[in-house]
Amino acid sequence: MPDSKGSDRFLAALLDVVKEEVITPDLVSPRRIRASLSRDLFDEHDLLDEPQADPSEEVRVLTPRQQFLKKFFDGVVEITQSFEALKDIQLYIGRFPFRRSNVSRTRYLRYHFESYLQEVFLLEERLLGYLTWVRRAYRKDRRAGDFERVCNVLQESVRKTLKGIIDLRSTHVHQYRVPERTLDRLGTLELLLSAPTGDIVDHDFAEFIARAYRLRYLETKRHWKKTIKDNNSALRALLDLYFDQIYALCFDAQGKVLFPDSLRA
């Protein structure tokens, strides 16, 4: 992928190496390919309900290089999944699919707002954890100093970029519910709209609240959809920077993995 960059280039290059070295080239049948994926990538033995392997077949043990590649690959998959979840929330928050249910629009928006905070926290944990693993994997490499320097810079970039969201999430989890002003106002209007009216109904008041709620709901939805879209754009830029820097250390000009000195053939 000569024109790709960032996380796309990193994942494509790493996947090529994984297919070459972990999913062995002598797997000529679909059954053996599935068995290798299940055993060597997923640590499982029942992918796609495949029958158990013949006990007479030799049990394959991953080499140190293959174990390294598996951990290298697993970390990228986890980070990618976290970012995909954030992109999903960007889509979900702009749509309300429960018109014929008891799920309120306000609770739906708040649920995805709070889910977004949690997913960003998980992404940060995975980004920092991957840097720790990379640093340790190359700690005895001749370029260990370069890895230490780059990982420290990336660690600071991750924490600085995500600080505002992480602080908000921490307050929500450890102290009290996040007092998100736009959602709180919307919740108050929704409560007034759904409250029992008794025998005397003030139609003018009810209509005013209904109009105010519709207007506030559209404003709040647009606000959070744009906020999350902007945040995701900034996160994508961070991920591209993150993986470009690691790529420069861990891959050569041909896109081949530069293994730690102890694992080089």
Side-chain angles (χ1 to χ4, degrees), residues 58-110:
E58 181 181 354
V59 177
R60 181 172 174 235
V61 178
L62 294 182
T63 67
R65 280 168 66 97
Q66 290 169 335
Q67 292 175 11
F68 168 85
L69 285 173
K70 184 176 183 302
K71 292 180 180 179
F72 207 5
F73 182 73
D74 287 347
V76 180
V77 170
E78 289 184 344
I79 291 169
T80 301
Q81 289 173 341
S82 287
F83 185 62
E84 290 300 318
L86 294 173
K87 292 197 296 183
D88 289 345
I89 293 173
Q90 178 182 330
L91 173 66
Y92 298 151
I93 206 165
R95 302 181 180 184
F96 183 74
F98 305 113
R99 290 179 175 82
R100 297 182 180 180
S101 74
N102 291 325
V103 177
S104 79
R105 294 174 183 269
T106 303
R107 293 200 307 274
Y108 180 80
L109 286 178
R110 182 175 285 279

Side-chain angles (χ1 to χ4, degrees), residues 11-226:
L11 182 57
L14 184 54
L15 185 57
D16 285 342
V17 180
V18 167
K19 288 190 292 186
E20 179 181 340
E21 295 216 21
V22 180
I23 306 173
T24 54
D26 62 339
L27 299 175
V28 294
S29 71
R31 186 190 68 80
R32 295 190 67 189
I33 292 174
R34 286 194 291 269
S36 178
L37 286 171
S38 178
R39 180 188 61 241
D40 302 329
L41 282 185
F42 305 135
D43 295 324
E44 297 175 353
H45 298 280
D46 57 355
L47 184 67
L48 301 181
D49 297 321
E50 279 296 302
Q52 294 294 322
D54 186 342
S56 64
E57 290 185 2
E58 181 181 354
V59 177
R60 181 172 174 235
V61 178
L62 294 182
T63 67
R65 280 168 66 97
Q66 290 169 335
Q67 292 175 11
F68 168 85
L69 285 173
K70 184 176 183 302
K71 292 180 180 179
F72 207 5
F73 182 73
D74 287 347
V76 180
V77 170
E78 289 184 344
I79 291 169
T80 301
Q81 289 173 341
S82 287
F83 185 62
E84 290 300 318
L86 294 173
K87 292 197 296 183
D88 289 345
I89 293 173
Q90 178 182 330
L91 173 66
Y92 298 151
I93 206 165
R95 302 181 180 184
F96 183 74
F98 305 113
R99 290 179 175 82
R100 297 182 180 180
S101 74
N102 291 325
V103 177
S104 79
R105 294 174 183 269
T106 303
R107 293 200 307 274
Y108 180 80
L109 286 178
R110 182 175 285 279
Y111 173 81
H112 288 299
F113 162 70
E114 293 174 354
S115 296
Y116 191 83
L117 299 182
Q118 178 61 24
E119 288 295 338
V120 171
F121 170 77
L122 182 58
L123 176 61
E124 183 191 53
E125 290 291 297
R126 289 176 170 177
L127 288 170
L128 296 178
Y130 196 60
L131 291 175
T132 298
W133 179 83
V134 169
R135 183 188 286 113
R136 290 174 179 171
Y138 287 88
R139 67 181 181 275
K140 296 183 179 179
D141 190 88
R142 72 192 73 176
R143 299 170 300 140
D146 293 334
F147 278 91
E148 187 72 19
R149 175 180 52 81
V150 170
C151 287
N152 285 340
V153 171
L154 290 177
Q155 179 176 291
E156 182 64 24
S157 294
V158 168
R159 286 177 171 160
K160 183 177 180 180
T161 301
L162 303 182
K163 185 179 186 305
I165 299 176
I166 297 302
D167 287 349
L168 185 59
R169 182 260 177 192
S170 180
T171 298
H172 174 72
V173 170
H174 299 295
Q175 296 183 31
Y176 47 81
R177 192 176 189 88
V178 176
E180 206 300 303
R181 187 173 302 174
T182 60
L183 292 173
D184 288 344
R185 287 196 296 257
L186 188 62
T188 299
L189 288 171
E190 186 174 74
L191 181 62
L192 292 172
L193 191 61
S194 61
T197 58
D199 296 332
I200 300 176
V201 179
D202 186 336
H203 293 286
D204 290 339
F205 177 77
E207 180 61 26
F208 173 79
I209 295 298
R211 289 199 305 269
Y213 176 79
R214 289 193 296 268
L215 178 61
R216 184 67 68 185
Y217 170 76
L218 292 174
E219 290 176 346
T220 302
K221 184 175 72 171
R222 283 195 294 264
H223 166 75
W224 281 111
K225 186 175 181 180
K226 182 179 186 304

